[in-house]
Amino acid sequence: MRPRENYTPFIAAGLILTVALMIVFQIYLWLEPTRIQTVQAADQSTAVAAGRNIFAENCAACHGEKGEGKLGAALNSRTLLKTTTDQTLFGLISTGVPGTIMPAWSQTHGGPFTDQQIAHLVAFIRAWEPTAPEPVIATIAPDPARGATIFAGTCAICHGEDGKGAKAAPALNDAKRLKEFDDAWYRDTIMHGRPAKGMPTWGTVLAPQQINDLIALLGAWREGREVTPTTSLAKQISNALFAIRQFDKVDAGFYLSAALPLANSSQTKEINAALELVKGNHLSEAEARLVALLPPSEIGKELYASNCAPCHGDDGSGGLGKSLRNSKYIQSKSDSELVDFVAVGRKGTAMDGFKNILSDEQLSYIIALLRAWQK
Ligand code: HEC
Ligand code: HEC
Ligand code: HEC
């Protein structure tokens, strides 16, 4: 008789193996989440690092190196990050903000970056959240010179240049009266106005900061100081030119008068001559005189500083955007070709079109500046 086959050792070995496998699998299951987390964390920090580089080269010029905000909004802000999902950030960066100089960055919208690069930017910005500061409520010190600019643009039309008084409203630059009442009284008067007597209510029109600046101006007048507005001759003349082209004689006269205190003696002569021409309704002669007085490139400087300088450098020597000085590209194009180029932008780069931001006329002033840089 053949001995009965004994399977017991095999069954035992099989059982032990199965149990061992189950234990190993269990351990694997225990460790898996940590493993996934480690891999995810590594991915995340790679994304953040990649985003950091893209941000430094492309965004810091407008949003500040630490996202604190400059010409562009503060991104390193608890309020913004708390209320904005990754998806929304992704969308804002992809499409840009129409009507502002925030360009579209995704290739889908004509910008330079892939979706992955934009996701890296989002990861980098999101990583600020745990330490992001509350946005600082701007505590800008009141500034009499800024106040004088507001006064020249808003109050002088009734209260006269430098608050000297005019037919429409009493003098404000009267040291005696200014000493009778304190800042709080003036603030109240300006905020509430005296609508029945022709003094408008400014509290709903001007920002609190602007009213602070006006109070600072009155404070300077109280001490008998003279204050020059922080505005440039170029700005007043370009406002006047704009008004002339709209056949608005009243505004043109207003801006030309506002330009006078900013002008030197030969400019004063020209501005007075233009004022006479405006009064006599010789608008195109007035325009020609003003254009001659202030070359378009001077007006262009102002527009360049707030629209192009963040990317092309304050003096046009380049940054994120190419250098615009001694540029073969600019030299090879006519003025109208350049206006068209800047209006449309260049697909696949951060050079977005400006057609919704600047008029052709404004662009032509900027082009005049670019031309002046080609010598
Ligand atoms: C030429 C200047 C400029 C550059 C360069 C720029 N931005 Fe902006 N950005 C702006 C401005 C201006 C705004 C605010 C638009 C507005 O008024 O709502 C803005 C808004 C934003 C917003 C929306 C913020 C909010 O509060 O709604 C995000 C997000 C943003 N930018 C991200 C970026 C990133 C990321 C980059 C780089 C890839 C970048 N920006 C480059 C000017 C710029
Ligand atoms: C539309 C014309 C007009 C404009 C614009 C105007 N005001 Fe007046 N304001 C008046 C008139 C009129 C009075 C005098 C009211 C009265 O008779 O009580 C006055 C009175 C005042 C007084 C009180 C003066 C006093 O000694 O009693 C202050 C202060 C003042 N204005 C400040 C301002 C400031 C600051 C602005 C610009 C933000 C401004 N006003 C713009 C018409 C104007
Ligand atoms: C958000 C950044 C940004 C802003 C703002 C910007 N540019 Fe650009 N610009 C660029 C970039 C990037 C290029 C280069 C595109 C490329 O690589 O072909 C460029 C290219 C140009 C060129 C072509 C230069 C060449 O040699 O090909 C001109 C001209 C120009 N920009 C003018 C302007 C003017 C004028 C403004 C303001 C009205 C302006 N740009 C605002 C980023 C910007």
Side-chain angles (χ1 to χ4, degrees):
M1 193 173 107
R2 276 199 305 164
R4 252 184 80 207
E5 285 180 56
N6 182 359
Y7 293 110
T8 317
F10 297 102
I11 292 170
L15 259 174
I16 289 168
L17 256 174
T18 312
V19 169
L21 260 175
M22 279 169 69
I23 291 172
V24 168
F25 187 65
Q26 204 58 46
I27 292 173
Y28 173 79
L29 278 186
W30 279 329
L31 294 179
E32 182 59 5
T34 347
R35 197 190 64 88
I36 292 176
Q37 269 175 7
T38 319
V39 171
Q40 275 178 345
D43 280 356
Q44 189 65 12
S45 66
T46 318
V48 170
R52 176 177 298 118
N53 289 334
I54 307 176
F55 189 90
E57 278 174 26
N58 297 277
C59 322
C62 290
H63 290 284
E65 258 157 56
K66 300 198 168 81
E68 69 276 17
K70 260 160 99 177
L71 224 69
L75 303 176
N76 188 350
S77 136
R78 186 172 307 169
T79 314
L80 173 77
L81 290 169
K82 269 222 165 106
T83 54
T84 314
T85 62
D86 282 1
Q87 234 173 344
T88 307
L89 279 178
F90 189 97
L92 282 165
I93 300 169
S94 299
T95 60
V97 183
T100 75
I101 59 172
M102 166 72 184
W105 293 98
S106 103
Q107 288 172 357
T108 330
H109 294 95
F113 296 142
T114 61
D115 283 359
Q116 194 188 24
Q117 287 172 305
I118 296 192
H120 289 165
L121 279 166
V122 172
F124 172 65
I125 292 170
R126 180 61 66 199
W128 278 324
E129 187 166 355
T131 55
E134 291 291 355
V136 197
I137 307 296
T139 44
I140 311 167
D143 175 13
R146 237 180 4 239
T149 309
I150 301 165
F151 192 90
T154 311
C155 320
I157 201 149
C158 291
H159 286 283
E161 195 188 307
D162 292 327
K164 281 193 293 234
K167 244 192 260 152
L172 297 178
N173 189 353
D174 168 357
K176 208 167 136 250
R177 178 129 179 113
L178 281 163
K179 283 190 177 123
E180 266 177 58
F181 299 99
D182 62 2
D183 284 354
W185 183 88
Y186 274 103
R187 183 185 306 277
D188 263 10
T189 308
I190 296 169
M191 299 272 285
H192 298 115
R194 293 183 196 139
K197 292 185 179 148
M199 165 66 180
T201 303
W202 295 105
T204 51
V205 177
L206 296 173
Q209 175 69 46
Q210 293 178 301
I211 294 184
N212 290 344
D213 291 339
L214 285 166
I215 299 295
L217 172 70
L218 294 174
W221 284 345
R222 187 179 285 130
E223 293 162 12
R225 278 193 283 142
E226 248 182 60
V227 185
T228 2
T230 46
T231 180
S232 65
L233 182 69
K235 196 155 204 161
Q236 299 296 359
I237 301 269
S238 67
N239 285 342
L241 277 168
F242 183 78
I244 287 174
R245 287 170 190 146
Q246 309 284 311
F247 308 104
D248 186 339
K249 284 164 50 183
V250 178
D251 269 10
F254 174 72
Y255 287 121
L256 288 174
S257 309
L260 280 171
L262 306 164
N264 64 28
S265 60
S266 67
Q267 288 164 335
T268 303
K269 238 164 78 197
E270 286 301 301
I271 295 170
N272 278 324
L275 265 169
E276 284 308 310
L277 287 167
V278 167
K279 274 187 206 146
N281 216 6
H282 304 298
L283 294 186
S284 48
E285 281 117 279
E287 179 180 351
R289 239 187 153 107
L290 292 174
V291 169
L293 170 67
L294 196 72
S297 63
E298 282 298 312
I299 302 176
K301 270 186 197 162
E302 199 123 10
L303 294 163
Y304 177 89
S306 47
N307 291 283
C308 324
C311 294
H312 289 283
D314 288 344
D315 60 352
S317 57
L320 164 60
K322 295 182 175 176
S323 167
L324 302 176
R325 286 182 170 265
N326 299 320
S327 147
K328 291 215 175 73
Y329 182 81
I330 291 173
Q331 286 160 22
S332 72
K333 302 280 179 219
S334 71
D335 284 3
S336 67
E337 283 170 330
L338 286 172
V339 167
D340 289 346
F341 170 78
V342 180
V344 174
R346 187 177 284 157
K347 219 170 149 48
T349 75
M351 180 63 203
D352 236 358
F354 277 81
K355 59 173 173 292
N356 297 322
I357 302 175
L358 297 170
S359 67
D360 279 4
E361 184 189 335
Q362 289 174 311
L363 288 177
S364 72
Y365 291 135
I366 297 179
I367 301 305
L369 175 68
L370 302 192
R371 281 273 177 251
W373 282 343
Q374 303 311 309
K375 283 155 204 161

